[in-house]
């Protein structure tokens, strides 16, 4: 074991994720949690839940978080980083408030948060910070001593996040028939969000068409495509596409949709496609259904050879990246000079979200930001 690494002032890491049902009886209550306050009837939720029922009512996200926890704990232990790791979800057990209550009871007062979302957006960052503020308010109402909470910066361009995706694309290309492999198109896929949310993602000075959300995904797509070209010697055409659109049809969302894109590429004569889900940390339900079910069916209908590359998941390089991000942030908090690790032209993102970053339609308190009521 190497010399002990210093995470001071932090005394714990919290893995914060979305959550998902773990059986058929959980599906509708889970969706009620996700859509609380929107007035969606239970019958509509049952219709939406059909995606989960196709997989036995179980989302893979919780098991994937358990695997990531194991990978993080192993990496920390192997490198002498004595930082306990907890896990809490926004929408299902283990619930965030319960986990924070446990952490306070265990004596933790400086908590660093790793969210399972690598990019800037309201749903991928600000909403997690709002959930943290809600949980802190609940603990405050119980008379508990509140911890100080910080959130790790966006890690979309960290090598430990990018390198497993590069390997995944190369492996998927190798699985295509040899006669279509070199001409294969790469469709880099991420979650579609309303264009209004995309335009206001990231700090205020960067707001504009697509905002930080689109810019960061385009950067990752470019970096992965460049690395694939360097390693294979083939320059594959690529495009950023979107999936998992929801909400009212009159509200504009980011396009093109992955299935529409497959039709368009097939019509233009592309011989094969690799779909690379760069917007997702793990193979959760939206990857399994929207890509492995719907997009796969569309490709088969078109007679278009298609492979879907793996997400990062619990890859040891991602676990190592998290360790590096923890130590980087801890050093910053101690006042040390730090050179953040980030590839590409965008550089490392901010450590503390500024005012107006990824705003909500209805303003709510949010922790771990300049405007946090729990600084």
């Amino acid at each position: 074991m190497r010399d002990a690494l210093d995470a001071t002032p932090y005394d714990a890491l919290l893995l914060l994720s979305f959550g998902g049902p773990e059986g058929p009886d959980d599906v509708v209550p889970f969706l009620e949690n996700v859509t609380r306050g929107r007035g969606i009837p239970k019958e509509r939720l049952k219709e939406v839940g059909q995606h989960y029922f196709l997989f036995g009512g179980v989302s893979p996200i919780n098991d994937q978080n358990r695997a990531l926890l194991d990978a993080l704990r192993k990496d920390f232990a192997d490198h002498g980083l004595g930082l306990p790791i907890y896990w809490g979800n926004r929408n299902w057990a283990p619930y965030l408030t319960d986990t924070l209550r446990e952490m306070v009871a265990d004596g933790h007062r400086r908590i660093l948060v790793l969210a399972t979302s690598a990019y800037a957006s309201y749903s991928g960052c600000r909403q997690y910070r709002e959930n943290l503020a809600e949980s802190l308010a609940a603990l405050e109402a119980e008379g508990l001593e509140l911890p100080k909470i910080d959130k790790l910066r966006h890690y979309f361009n960290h090598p430990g996040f990018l390198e497993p995706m590069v390997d995944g694309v190369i492996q998927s290309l190798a699985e295509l028939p040899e006669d279509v492999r070199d001409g294969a198109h790469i469709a880099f896929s991420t979650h579609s969000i309303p264009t209004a949310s995309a335009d206001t993602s990231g700090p205020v000075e960067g707001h504009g068409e697509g905002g930080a959300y689109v810019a960061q995904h385009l950067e990752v797509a470019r970096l992965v495509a460049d690395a694939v070209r360097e390693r294979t010697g083939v320059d594959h055409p690529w495009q950023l596409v979107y999936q998992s659109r929801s909400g009212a049809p009159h509200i504009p969302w980011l396009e093109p949709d992955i299935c529409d894109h497959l039709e368009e590429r097939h019509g233009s004569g592309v011989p094969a496609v690799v779909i690379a889900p760069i917007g997702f940390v793990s193979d959760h339900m939206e990857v399994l259904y929207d890509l492995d079910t719907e997009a796969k069916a569309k490709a088969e209908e078109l007679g278009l050879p298609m492979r879907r590359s793996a997400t990062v998941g619990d890859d040891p390089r991602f676990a190592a990246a998290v360790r590096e991000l923890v130590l980087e942030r801890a050093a910053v908090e101690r006042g040390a000079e730090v050179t953040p690790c980030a590839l590409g032209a965008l550089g490392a993102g901010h450590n503390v979200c500024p005012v107006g970053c990824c705003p909500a339609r209805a303003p709510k308190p949010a922790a771990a930001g300049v405007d946090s009521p729990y600084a």
Side-chain angles (χ1 to χ4, degrees):
M1 182 180 294
R2 304 177 186 178
D3 294 338
L5 302 177
D6 187 8
T8 307
Y10 299 108
D11 54 27
L13 177 68
L14 168 63
L15 175 65
L16 177 55
S17 194
F18 192 81
E22 301 207 72
D25 293 341
D26 297 343
V27 172
V28 171
F30 162 73
L31 292 173
E32 287 175 332
N33 288 341
V34 174
T35 61
R36 181 169 287 115
R38 302 182 200 173
I40 299 177
K42 183 171 287 190
E43 290 307 310
R44 174 58 183 150
L45 294 180
K46 290 180 180 178
E47 293 176 15
V48 174
Q50 290 306 311
H51 295 182
Y52 291 96
F53 292 128
L54 287 174
F55 296 89
V58 178
S59 168
I61 193 171
N62 285 334
D63 277 345
Q64 289 162 3
N65 280 324
R66 293 182 183 103
L68 178 56
L69 282 169
D70 288 343
L72 291 172
R73 287 167 176 156
K74 181 180 187 306
D75 180 272
F76 284 21
D78 287 349
H79 291 83
L81 179 55
L83 195 70
I85 308 173
Y86 293 73
W87 170 36
N89 289 325
R90 288 170 46 187
N91 299 298
W92 202 249
Y95 287 103
L96 172 59
T97 302
D98 295 336
T99 299
L100 282 178
R101 186 184 296 111
E102 177 187 0
M103 296 176 81
V104 169
D106 289 345
H108 299 297
R109 297 296 181 268
R110 287 297 305 271
I111 297 171
L112 195 53
V113 174
L114 166 67
T116 53
S117 175
Y119 301 87
S121 70
Y122 170 73
S123 57
C125 185
R126 173 92 191 185
Q127 194 169 17
Y128 282 95
R129 294 174 49 227
E130 290 177 354
N131 296 142
L132 285 165
E134 291 168 358
S135 293
L136 289 171
L139 299 188
E140 186 176 40
E142 296 171 12
L144 298 178
E145 183 179 351
L146 298 186
K148 185 179 186 305
I149 292 180
D150 292 322
K151 179 179 174 293
L152 287 173
R153 64 175 173 87
H154 300 301
Y155 46 84
F156 64 93
N157 55 0
H158 193 288
F161 187 67
L162 292 167
E163 289 165 2
M165 291 192 288
V166 173
D167 286 350
V169 171
I170 291 174
Q171 180 176 338
S172 292
L173 287 167
E175 293 170 356
L176 287 169
E178 188 173 356
D179 60 333
V180 299
R181 186 179 305 152
D182 286 353
H185 170 85
I186 305 173
F188 291 104
S189 186
T190 190
H191 203 301
S192 184
I193 61 175
T195 56
S197 294
D199 293 346
T200 57
S201 58
V204 172
E205 61 271 16
H207 289 177
E209 187 174 357
Y213 187 75
V214 172
Q216 290 171 359
H217 281 89
L218 285 172
E219 179 78 338
V220 168
R222 182 186 65 79
L223 288 166
V224 172
D226 286 352
V228 170
R229 183 185 65 249
E230 290 171 5
R231 287 176 51 182
T232 66
V234 180
D235 190 5
H236 291 273
W238 61 269
Q239 185 171 337
L240 179 63
V241 301
Y242 302 92
Q243 62 177 90
S244 312
R245 188 204 193 285
S246 61
H250 68 279
I251 297 175
W253 283 54
L254 294 172
E255 296 177 338
D257 174 77
I258 177 61
C259 289
D260 294 340
H261 181 68
L262 291 177
E263 287 193 347
E264 191 276 332
R265 291 289 84 199
H266 175 67
S268 69
V270 164
V273 172
V274 167
I275 301 177
I278 60 173
F280 308 90
V281 171
S282 62
D283 288 5
H284 57 64
M285 183 56 69
E286 287 169 320
V287 174
L288 292 186
Y289 184 79
D290 296 324
L291 298 184
D292 293 354
T293 305
E294 283 195 329
K296 180 181 178 182
K298 174 58 69 175
E300 290 174 349
E301 173 192 324
L302 297 168
L304 180 65
M306 186 270 280
R307 298 293 184 273
R308 196 269 292 174
S309 66
T311 51
V312 173
D314 60 344
D315 190 288
R317 289 168 291 184
F318 181 49
V322 173
R323 167 174 41 85
E324 292 169 6
L325 289 165
V326 166
L327 295 173
E328 172 194 300
R329 182 59 186 276
V332 169
E333 290 297 304
R334 296 195 303 268
E337 289 190 13
V338 175
T339 301
C341 185
L343 299 179
L346 296 182
H350 48 256
N351 281 316
V352 181
C353 293
V355 175
C357 191
C358 305
R361 284 180 295 176
K364 295 180 181 179
V370 172
D371 55 352
S372 171
Y374 299 104

